[in-house]
Amino acid sequence: MHRVAHFTTPFAYHCLDSFHSAINGLLPPDIRVREISAACPEFHARTSTKSKIYHYKIYNEAEAANHFVGVHDFTSFANAVHNDRVRSPIKKISRFDVTKMDAIIQLEVEGTGFLYRQVRNMVALLIQVGREGLPPEIVPGIIAAKDRKELAKVALSAPPHGLYLMSVNYDKEILKPPVGSPPVSFGRTHQISRCKLLFY
């Protein structure tokens, strides 16, 4: 699993290797920055994403996942407290795979973006379809309702400990460093235990 972050600095770095080592020297051993690159001014780690991939592992098989694929208004699957913070509840789900792995079922969903707790709420409904024998057609019905209360009638949010953000994808063009930027740093083998960065 990897994450992408961005920040703005007023300093011009001609070499990113020492900066890269300095950052890793400040982090605990189990957290590493694997790559540092300059980015174009328009790049934003969250809003520039092309798609995101989530995994969720459950112990019940559900076959209603395909009803989520496509462009839908997912208001029914957003946490009610956070509905007012959402710019648009319309999201595109490109795939929702159900894979059997020994004693568990792994769900992998990829989409252009997700509302607060949307993945956990979708999983919760699929668990109920598998466990309680609800008809798969209940999924498009709840989507069409655009009302979180409709989902609450049959399912609560799935617990967070089964959810993992596996990857975040971007268009190649948005990741190209600006002309004249220093080379991309992929890190060094040694670590710096203490350092002082220019922006401190």
Side-chain angles (χ1 to χ4, degrees):
M1 293 184 287
H2 66 275
R3 302 290 182 269
V4 177
H6 76 277
F7 65 92
T8 302
T9 175
F11 302 102
Y13 293 93
H14 301 292
C15 177
L16 296 177
D17 287 340
S18 58
F19 179 71
H20 194 168
S21 296
I23 289 180
N24 278 333
L26 295 172
L27 294 172
D30 58 340
I31 300 177
R32 296 287 89 182
V33 175
R34 301 181 65 180
E35 178 182 332
I36 294 180
S37 171
C40 63
E42 298 79 18
F43 177 78
H44 190 285
R46 182 174 60 84
T47 60
S48 297
T49 57
K50 179 181 179 181
S51 67
K52 299 178 181 179
I53 299 176
Y54 277 95
H55 277 189
Y56 197 100
K57 297 180 180 180
I58 61 173
Y59 290 85
N60 296 280
E61 186 171 3
E63 299 180 357
N66 283 336
H67 287 292
F68 287 115
V69 176
V71 179
H72 304 290
D73 183 325
F74 284 99
T75 298
S76 295
F77 293 87
N79 184 274
V81 177
H82 290 257
N83 274 345
D84 58 340
R85 304 181 188 179
V86 177
R87 293 182 179 178
S88 173
I90 299 175
K91 305 295 180 183
K92 179 182 179 181
I93 303 296
S94 55
R95 62 187 179 91
F96 206 143
D97 301 329
V98 180
T99 306
K100 189 171 184 179
M101 302 175 62
D102 297 324
I104 65 174
I105 299 296
Q106 176 176 283
L107 305 179
E108 181 170 292
V109 56
E110 180 176 2
T112 54
F114 297 91
L115 306 176
Y116 182 68
R117 289 193 180 177
Q118 178 185 335
V119 175
R120 288 169 56 190
N121 288 329
M122 291 190 299
V123 168
L125 181 57
L126 295 181
I127 291 175
Q128 290 301 96
V129 170
R131 179 182 295 168
E132 304 297 333
L134 299 178
E137 293 74 24
I138 195 173
V139 175
I142 292 177
I143 291 175
K146 301 178 185 179
D147 187 347
R148 180 67 176 81
K149 294 178 182 178
E150 288 301 307
L151 176 63
K153 292 177 182 178
V154 294
L156 301 175
S157 290
H161 55 261
L163 181 66
Y164 304 91
L165 176 60
M166 299 303 295
S167 64
V168 179
N169 303 315
Y170 299 89
D171 284 318
K172 292 182 179 179
E173 290 300 316
I174 197 71
L175 293 179
K176 287 184 178 179
V179 176
S181 299
V184 176
S185 173
F186 294 99
R188 295 178 175 178
T189 56
H190 67 276
Q191 298 180 9
I192 299 175
S193 58
R194 292 185 180 181
C195 63
K196 185 175 182 180
L197 301 181
L198 291 176
F199 51 81
Y200 273 28

